[in-house]
Amino acid sequence: HRVATLSEVARLLGVDRDTVKGWATKYAEHLSPAANPAAGVERRFDQNDLRVLALVAEETDIDPSDLGR
């Protein structure tokens, strides 16, 4: 299984690294342990993590003014 680095995930999703870190923390229960490792250990995201984060990115991309129409 291919794993992606924080920078690769940020580039794939079109967001910055801090955004991915925030999502990884917020949605940790849906991600692999490697997405939220111990301090000093590089984050690694597997294919399932990428699917989860892609959904998060898609939902976050919704314009609030479109809701309720």
Side-chain angles (χ1 to χ4, degrees):
H1 283 292
R2 167 114 168 71
V3 294
T5 64
L6 179 62
S7 294
E8 289 170 334
V9 174
R11 190 169 48 251
L12 281 169
L13 299 178
V15 298
D16 62 34
R17 289 166 45 98
D18 286 338
T19 298
V20 177
K21 284 183 189 178
W23 289 344
T25 301
K26 184 173 182 178
Y27 300 102
E29 67 185 277
H30 303 289
L31 301 172
S32 68
N36 286 289
V41 178
E42 186 177 19
R43 292 175 192 267
R44 293 289 181 177
F45 300 88
D46 65 21
Q47 291 299 312
N48 288 330
D49 296 335
L50 292 176
R51 286 187 192 99
V52 170
L53 293 173
L55 286 171
V56 170
E58 192 175 296
E59 293 300 313
T60 304
D61 202 32
I62 293 173
D63 184 342
S65 65
D66 289 339
L67 300 177
R69 289 188 179 175

